[in-house]
Amino acid sequence: MSLPSRPRPVVLITGASAGIGAALARVYAAEGWDLILTARREGPLLALATELGISGAASTILTDDLADPAAPRRLFDAIQAKGLTVDGLVNNAGFSRTAGFLNTDPAAHRAMIQVMLAAPVELARLFAPGMVERGYGRILNVASLAGQMPATGGDTLYGQGLHLELRETGVHVTALCPGYTLTEFHDANGTREQVSSAYPAWMWQTADHVARVGYETCEANRPKVTPGIMNNLLAGLAKHLPDRVALRMVGGHAKRLKRI
């Protein structure tokens, strides 16, 4: 595998303004990477870039909203115009709506599909060819433990193939699937009080821990990782329990949240 000839590789991190995205930026900076940070909010990105600069990492800030279908190409073109080469891509941006399928505006559904499905696919398609050509690259897709569980009523929308396709090219592709993590995610979707009351402290992980696990797993070129013993047990149960039992289990999860 040929490493980048430049002094420091460059990673593009979406949704880098807070939570796991910001934690991943700190991990990559500590490991010798320069960064391209993107999110909707410029202020937190500027603060993060200042923090990372202390450790010697250079940060380029590009504000954009991945809910806009034109955003991935816009980011790609802006990076090309700056003469930057992307060696790593972290698809971290995401959000949730919890009002239920029928009570959620279809525009919000479209935005979720765009941010969490279409944008990561397009960004990978834009940047992966260059990684393959250079013989070096990293793609880390931040997903969720929820993707390995039966669907919960009210969770309205929720590729290991790329890992297999690129595994002999020097490009590593990993899915990071965290469980409950202490970030702004539940503040943004209005469920902070409910989830904090419904689940004990030992079920929660820090964004720093999740980010470190994600980075190390991608470097090891493993297709997927779920941080935490309990989260792995839950994912394993979901695979082996009969459907009716697994659905009853996640149904109980939803009822606990509604009663709070």
Side-chain angles (χ1 to χ4, degrees):
M1 178 188 309
S2 58
L3 299 176
S5 59
R6 301 177 305 285
R8 294 172 67 98
V10 177
V11 60
L12 167 63
I13 302 178
T14 70
S17 59
I20 295 173
L24 280 162
R26 295 184 182 100
V27 171
Y28 275 89
E31 294 293 335
W33 292 65
D34 287 335
L35 304 109
I36 303 170
L37 306 173
T38 186
R40 293 177 302 165
R41 299 177 295 166
E42 184 178 43
L45 295 179
L46 290 170
L48 180 60
T50 300
E51 173 193 335
L52 300 179
I54 297 173
S55 64
S59 296
T60 300
I61 292 174
L62 297 173
T63 56
D64 215 323
D65 185 356
L66 289 175
D68 180 354
R73 170 58 69 171
R74 198 158 51 227
L75 286 171
F76 180 81
D77 290 344
I79 291 168
Q80 296 289 100
K82 291 179 178 295
L84 296 170
T85 298
V86 171
D87 304 293
L89 168 64
V90 176
N91 285 310
N92 169 75
F95 66 98
S96 174
R97 292 287 181 266
T98 60
F101 183 78
L102 297 180
N103 293 324
T104 299
D105 189 326
H109 282 157
R110 286 193 294 272
M112 285 181 64
I113 292 171
Q114 184 62 40
V115 171
M116 301 174 75
L117 296 177
V121 170
E122 186 169 355
L123 286 169
R125 187 63 183 83
L126 288 166
F127 289 106
M131 296 179 188
V132 171
E133 182 179 353
R134 294 185 297 273
Y136 180 88
R138 303 289 187 266
I139 300 175
L140 180 62
N141 295 315
V142 180
S144 174
L145 173 65
Q148 303 176 68
M149 305 291 286
T152 300
D155 286 348
T156 59
L157 300 168
Y158 225 91
Q160 296 184 50
L162 188 59
H163 167 87
L164 293 172
E165 183 175 337
L166 300 184
R167 63 181 175 178
E168 303 297 334
T169 69
V171 180
H172 299 185
V173 182
T174 297
L176 172 60
C177 304
Y180 282 123
T181 307
L182 296 168
T183 70
E184 291 183 352
F185 184 84
H186 294 102
D187 298 313
N189 69 16
T191 63
R192 166 61 58 204
E193 182 177 355
Q194 292 96 319
V195 295
S196 296
S197 301
Y199 296 101
W202 56 263
M203 287 192 66
W204 292 83
Q205 296 181 310
T206 67
D208 290 342
H209 172 70
V210 169
R212 171 54 63 179
V213 171
Y215 176 85
E216 292 178 354
T217 305
C218 191
E219 286 301 302
N221 201 18
R222 289 168 51 198
K224 182 179 68 172
V225 62
T226 301
I229 295 174
M230 181 56 65
N231 291 328
N232 279 277
L233 287 174
L234 290 172
L237 279 173
K239 289 181 180 178
H240 296 101
L241 288 175
D243 286 348
R244 65 182 183 281
V245 176
L247 288 170
R248 190 178 302 123
M249 181 176 70
V250 296
H253 156 87
K255 288 181 179 178
R256 282 197 299 275
L257 293 182
K258 290 177 181 178
R259 284 201 299 265
I260 299 300

mmCIF file with all atom_site columns, all heavy atoms in Angstrom, residues 161-175:
data_model
loop_
_atom_site.group_PDB
_atom_site.id
_atom_site.type_symbol
_atom_site.label_atom_id
_atom_site.label_alt_id
_atom_site.label_comp_id
_atom_site.label_asym_id
_atom_site.label_entity_id
_atom_site.label_seq_id
_atom_site.pdbx_PDB_ins_code
_atom_site.Cartn_x
_atom_site.Cartn_y
_atom_site.Cartn_z
_atom_site.occupancy
_atom_site.B_iso_or_equiv
_atom_site.pdbx_formal_charge
_atom_site.auth_seq_id
_atom_site.auth_comp_id
_atom_site.auth_asym_id
_atom_site.auth_atom_id
_atom_site.pdbx_PDB_model_num
ATOM 1   N N   . GLY A 1 161 ? -20.585 -3.712  0.944  1.00 0.00 ? 161 GLY A N   1
ATOM 2   C CA  . GLY A 1 161 ? -20.187 -4.083  -0.409 1.00 0.00 ? 161 GLY A CA  1
ATOM 3   C C   . GLY A 1 161 ? -18.989 -3.281  -0.895 1.00 0.00 ? 161 GLY A C   1
ATOM 4   O O   . GLY A 1 161 ? -18.109 -3.811  -1.584 1.00 0.00 ? 161 GLY A O   1
ATOM 5   N N   . LEU A 1 162 ? -18.929 -2.004  -0.554 1.00 0.00 ? 162 LEU A N   1
ATOM 6   C CA  . LEU A 1 162 ? -17.807 -1.166  -0.989 1.00 0.00 ? 162 LEU A CA  1
ATOM 7   C C   . LEU A 1 162 ? -16.507 -1.619  -0.331 1.00 0.00 ? 162 LEU A C   1
ATOM 8   O O   . LEU A 1 162 ? -15.442 -1.559  -0.941 1.00 0.00 ? 162 LEU A O   1
ATOM 9   C CB  . LEU A 1 162 ? -18.096 0.303   -0.666 1.00 0.00 ? 162 LEU A CB  1
ATOM 10  C CG  . LEU A 1 162 ? -17.107 1.323   -1.237 1.00 0.00 ? 162 LEU A CG  1
ATOM 11  C CD1 . LEU A 1 162 ? -17.056 1.230   -2.754 1.00 0.00 ? 162 LEU A CD1 1
ATOM 12  C CD2 . LEU A 1 162 ? -17.482 2.739   -0.802 1.00 0.00 ? 162 LEU A CD2 1
ATOM 13  N N   . HIS A 1 163 ? -16.600 -2.078  0.915  1.00 0.00 ? 163 HIS A N   1
ATOM 14  C CA  . HIS A 1 163 ? -15.415 -2.630  1.582  1.00 0.00 ? 163 HIS A CA  1
ATOM 15  C C   . HIS A 1 163 ? -14.854 -3.794  0.775  1.00 0.00 ? 163 HIS A C   1
ATOM 16  O O   . HIS A 1 163 ? -13.635 -3.878  0.541  1.00 0.00 ? 163 HIS A O   1
ATOM 17  C CB  . HIS A 1 163 ? -15.788 -3.093  2.992  1.00 0.00 ? 163 HIS A CB  1
ATOM 18  C CG  . HIS A 1 163 ? -14.746 -3.948  3.648  1.00 0.00 ? 163 HIS A CG  1
ATOM 19  N ND1 . HIS A 1 163 ? -13.700 -3.419  4.371  1.00 0.00 ? 163 HIS A ND1 1
ATOM 20  C CD2 . HIS A 1 163 ? -14.582 -5.303  3.674  1.00 0.00 ? 163 HIS A CD2 1
ATOM 21  C CE1 . HIS A 1 163 ? -12.939 -4.411  4.813  1.00 0.00 ? 163 HIS A CE1 1
ATOM 22  N NE2 . HIS A 1 163 ? -13.454 -5.553  4.415  1.00 0.00 ? 163 HIS A NE2 1
ATOM 23  N N   . LEU A 1 164 ? -15.741 -4.696  0.335  1.00 0.00 ? 164 LEU A N   1
ATOM 24  C CA  . LEU A 1 164 ? -15.288 -5.856  -0.433 1.00 0.00 ? 164 LEU A CA  1
ATOM 25  C C   . LEU A 1 164 ? -14.720 -5.437  -1.785 1.00 0.00 ? 164 LEU A C   1
ATOM 26  O O   . LEU A 1 164 ? -13.700 -5.972  -2.235 1.00 0.00 ? 164 LEU A O   1
ATOM 27  C CB  . LEU A 1 164 ? -16.452 -6.830  -0.636 1.00 0.00 ? 164 LEU A CB  1
ATOM 28  C CG  . LEU A 1 164 ? -16.964 -7.523  0.633  1.00 0.00 ? 164 LEU A CG  1
ATOM 29  C CD1 . LEU A 1 164 ? -18.230 -8.307  0.315  1.00 0.00 ? 164 LEU A CD1 1
ATOM 30  C CD2 . LEU A 1 164 ? -15.896 -8.440  1.212  1.00 0.00 ? 164 LEU A CD2 1
ATOM 31  N N   . GLU A 1 165 ? -15.353 -4.463  -2.416 1.00 0.00 ? 165 GLU A N   1
ATOM 32  C CA  . GLU A 1 165 ? -14.918 -4.048  -3.749 1.00 0.00 ? 165 GLU A CA  1
ATOM 33  C C   . GLU A 1 165 ? -13.531 -3.410  -3.728 1.00 0.00 ? 165 GLU A C   1
ATOM 34  O O   . GLU A 1 165 ? -12.742 -3.583  -4.664 1.00 0.00 ? 165 GLU A O   1
ATOM 35  C CB  . GLU A 1 165 ? -15.931 -3.065  -4.342 1.00 0.00 ? 165 GLU A CB  1
ATOM 36  C CG  . GLU A 1 165 ? -15.610 -2.621  -5.752 1.00 0.00 ? 165 GLU A CG  1
ATOM 37  C CD  . GLU A 1 165 ? -16.693 -1.740  -6.358 1.00 0.00 ? 165 GLU A CD  1
ATOM 38  O OE1 . GLU A 1 165 ? -17.854 -1.825  -5.893 1.00 0.00 ? 165 GLU A OE1 1
ATOM 39  O OE2 . GLU A 1 165 ? -16.380 -0.982  -7.283 1.00 0.00 ? 165 GLU A OE2 1
ATOM 40  N N   . LEU A 1 166 ? -13.236 -2.665  -2.655 1.00 0.00 ? 166 LEU A N   1
ATOM 41  C CA  . LEU A 1 166 ? -11.998 -1.891  -2.622 1.00 0.00 ? 166 LEU A CA  1
ATOM 42  C C   . LEU A 1 166 ? -10.909 -2.490  -1.740 1.00 0.00 ? 166 LEU A C   1
ATOM 43  O O   . LEU A 1 166 ? -9.833  -1.902  -1.605 1.00 0.00 ? 166 LEU A O   1
ATOM 44  C CB  . LEU A 1 166 ? -12.306 -0.464  -2.129 1.00 0.00 ? 166 LEU A CB  1
ATOM 45  C CG  . LEU A 1 166 ? -13.301 0.347   -2.970 1.00 0.00 ? 166 LEU A CG  1
ATOM 46  C CD1 . LEU A 1 166 ? -13.434 1.756   -2.415 1.00 0.00 ? 166 LEU A CD1 1
ATOM 47  C CD2 . LEU A 1 166 ? -12.896 0.380   -4.435 1.00 0.00 ? 166 LEU A CD2 1
ATOM 48  N N   . ARG A 1 167 ? -11.131 -3.668  -1.168 1.00 0.00 ? 167 ARG A N   1
ATOM 49  C CA  . ARG A 1 167 ? -10.204 -4.149  -0.146 1.00 0.00 ? 167 ARG A CA  1
ATOM 50  C C   . ARG A 1 167 ? -8.813  -4.456  -0.685 1.00 0.00 ? 167 ARG A C   1
ATOM 51  O O   . ARG A 1 167 ? -7.845  -4.482  0.077  1.00 0.00 ? 167 ARG A O   1
ATOM 52  C CB  . ARG A 1 167 ? -10.781 -5.389  0.532  1.00 0.00 ? 167 ARG A CB  1
ATOM 53  C CG  . ARG A 1 167 ? -10.994 -6.586  -0.354 1.00 0.00 ? 167 ARG A CG  1
ATOM 54  C CD  . ARG A 1 167 ? -11.585 -7.745  0.438  1.00 0.00 ? 167 ARG A CD  1
ATOM 55  N NE  . ARG A 1 167 ? -11.915 -8.876  -0.415 1.00 0.00 ? 167 ARG A NE  1
ATOM 56  C CZ  . ARG A 1 167 ? -12.396 -10.015 0.037  1.00 0.00 ? 167 ARG A CZ  1
ATOM 57  N NH1 . ARG A 1 167 ? -12.587 -10.175 1.329  1.00 0.00 ? 167 ARG A NH1 1
ATOM 58  N NH2 . ARG A 1 167 ? -12.676 -11.003 -0.792 1.00 0.00 ? 167 ARG A NH2 1
ATOM 59  N N   . GLU A 1 168 ? -8.642  -4.672  -1.987 1.00 0.00 ? 168 GLU A N   1
ATOM 60  C CA  . GLU A 1 168 ? -7.315  -4.948  -2.538 1.00 0.00 ? 168 GLU A CA  1
ATOM 61  C C   . GLU A 1 168 ? -6.691  -3.708  -3.165 1.00 0.00 ? 168 GLU A C   1
ATOM 62  O O   . GLU A 1 168 ? -5.642  -3.798  -3.806 1.00 0.00 ? 168 GLU A O   1
ATOM 63  C CB  . GLU A 1 168 ? -7.407  -6.056  -3.605 1.00 0.00 ? 168 GLU A CB  1
ATOM 64  C CG  . GLU A 1 168 ? -8.018  -7.356  -3.109 1.00 0.00 ? 168 GLU A CG  1
ATOM 65  C CD  . GLU A 1 168 ? -7.187  -8.014  -2.020 1.00 0.00 ? 168 GLU A CD  1
ATOM 66  O OE1 . GLU A 1 168 ? -5.958  -7.780  -1.989 1.00 0.00 ? 168 GLU A OE1 1
ATOM 67  O OE2 . GLU A 1 168 ? -7.760  -8.748  -1.187 1.00 0.00 ? 168 GLU A OE2 1
ATOM 68  N N   . THR A 1 169 ? -7.305  -2.541  -2.977 1.00 0.00 ? 169 THR A N   1
ATOM 69  C CA  . THR A 1 169 ? -6.826  -1.327  -3.641 1.00 0.00 ? 169 THR A CA  1
ATOM 70  C C   . THR A 1 169 ? -6.030  -0.408  -2.739 1.00 0.00 ? 169 THR A C   1
ATOM 71  O O   . THR A 1 169 ? -5.490  0.594   -3.209 1.00 0.00 ? 169 THR A O   1
ATOM 72  C CB  . THR A 1 169 ? -8.024  -0.518  -4.193 1.00 0.00 ? 169 THR A CB  1
ATOM 73  O OG1 . THR A 1 169 ? -8.777  0.016   -3.091 1.00 0.00 ? 169 THR A OG1 1
ATOM 74  C CG2 . THR A 1 169 ? -8.917  -1.380  -5.073 1.00 0.00 ? 169 THR A CG2 1
ATOM 75  N N   . GLY A 1 170 ? -5.970  -0.707  -1.447 1.00 0.00 ? 170 GLY A N   1
ATOM 76  C CA  . GLY A 1 170 ? -5.350  0.211   -0.507 1.00 0.00 ? 170 GLY A CA  1
ATOM 77  C C   . GLY A 1 170 ? -6.339  1.177   0.116  1.00 0.00 ? 170 GLY A C   1
ATOM 78  O O   . GLY A 1 170 ? -5.957  2.010   0.942  1.00 0.00 ? 170 GLY A O   1
ATOM 79  N N   . VAL A 1 171 ? -7.605  1.083   -0.273 1.00 0.00 ? 171 VAL A N   1
ATOM 80  C CA  . VAL A 1 171 ? -8.651  1.942   0.279  1.00 0.00 ? 171 VAL A CA  1
ATOM 81  C C   . VAL A 1 171 ? -9.451  1.135   1.300  1.00 0.00 ? 171 VAL A C   1
ATOM 82  O O   . VAL A 1 171 ? -10.030 0.105   0.972  1.00 0.00 ? 171 VAL A O   1
ATOM 83  C CB  . VAL A 1 171 ? -9.593  2.475   -0.826 1.00 0.00 ? 171 VAL A CB  1
ATOM 84  C CG1 . VAL A 1 171 ? -10.677 3.367   -0.211 1.00 0.00 ? 171 VAL A CG1 1
ATOM 85  C CG2 . VAL A 1 171 ? -8.790  3.257   -1.868 1.00 0.00 ? 171 VAL A CG2 1
ATOM 86  N N   . HIS A 1 172 ? -9.462  1.592   2.545  1.00 0.00 ? 172 HIS A N   1
ATOM 87  C CA  . HIS A 1 172 ? -10.194 0.924   3.614  1.00 0.00 ? 172 HIS A CA  1
ATOM 88  C C   . HIS A 1 172 ? -11.592 1.522   3.743  1.00 0.00 ? 172 HIS A C   1
ATOM 89  O O   . HIS A 1 172 ? -11.738 2.751   3.736  1.00 0.00 ? 172 HIS A O   1
ATOM 90  C CB  . HIS A 1 172 ? -9.474  1.093   4.958  1.00 0.00 ? 172 HIS A CB  1
ATOM 91  C CG  . HIS A 1 172 ? -8.099  0.514   4.998  1.00 0.00 ? 172 HIS A CG  1
ATOM 92  N ND1 . HIS A 1 172 ? -7.340  0.493   6.147  1.00 0.00 ? 172 HIS A ND1 1
ATOM 93  C CD2 . HIS A 1 172 ? -7.337  -0.084  4.025  1.00 0.00 ? 172 HIS A CD2 1
ATOM 94  C CE1 . HIS A 1 172 ? -6.175  -0.083  5.887  1.00 0.00 ? 172 HIS A CE1 1
ATOM 95  N NE2 . HIS A 1 172 ? -6.154  -0.432  4.607  1.00 0.00 ? 172 HIS A NE2 1
ATOM 96  N N   . VAL A 1 173 ? -12.591 0.686   3.895  1.00 0.00 ? 173 VAL A N   1
ATOM 97  C CA  . VAL A 1 173 ? -13.980 1.153   4.048  1.00 0.00 ? 173 VAL A CA  1
ATOM 98  C C   . VAL A 1 173 ? -14.576 0.468   5.271  1.00 0.00 ? 173 VAL A C   1
ATOM 99  O O   . VAL A 1 173 ? -14.607 -0.764  5.347  1.00 0.00 ? 173 VAL A O   1
ATOM 100 C CB  . VAL A 1 173 ? -14.828 0.843   2.800  1.00 0.00 ? 173 VAL A CB  1
ATOM 101 C CG1 . VAL A 1 173 ? -16.252 1.396   2.982  1.00 0.00 ? 173 VAL A CG1 1
ATOM 102 C CG2 . VAL A 1 173 ? -14.186 1.440   1.546  1.00 0.00 ? 173 VAL A CG2 1
ATOM 103 N N   . THR A 1 174 ? -15.059 1.278   6.214  1.00 0.00 ? 174 THR A N   1
ATOM 104 C CA  . THR A 1 174 ? -15.571 0.749   7.477  1.00 0.00 ? 174 THR A CA  1
ATOM 105 C C   . THR A 1 174 ? -16.870 1.447   7.846  1.00 0.00 ? 174 THR A C   1
ATOM 106 O O   . THR A 1 174 ? -17.008 2.662   7.658  1.00 0.00 ? 174 THR A O   1
ATOM 107 C CB  . THR A 1 174 ? -14.546 0.972   8.603  1.00 0.00 ? 174 THR A CB  1
ATOM 108 O OG1 . THR A 1 174 ? -13.355 0.243   8.306  1.00 0.00 ? 174 THR A OG1 1
ATOM 109 C CG2 . THR A 1 174 ? -15.091 0.522   9.951  1.00 0.00 ? 174 THR A CG2 1
ATOM 110 N N   . ALA A 1 175 ? -17.813 0.692   8.398  1.00 0.00 ? 175 ALA A N   1
ATOM 111 C CA  . ALA A 1 175 ? -19.036 1.257   8.966  1.00 0.00 ? 175 ALA A CA  1
ATOM 112 C C   . ALA A 1 175 ? -18.900 1.277   10.484 1.00 0.00 ? 175 ALA A C   1
ATOM 113 O O   . ALA A 1 175 ? -18.647 0.248   11.108 1.00 0.00 ? 175 ALA A O   1
ATOM 114 C CB  . ALA A 1 175 ? -20.254 0.439   8.559  1.00 0.00 ? 175 ALA A CB  1
#
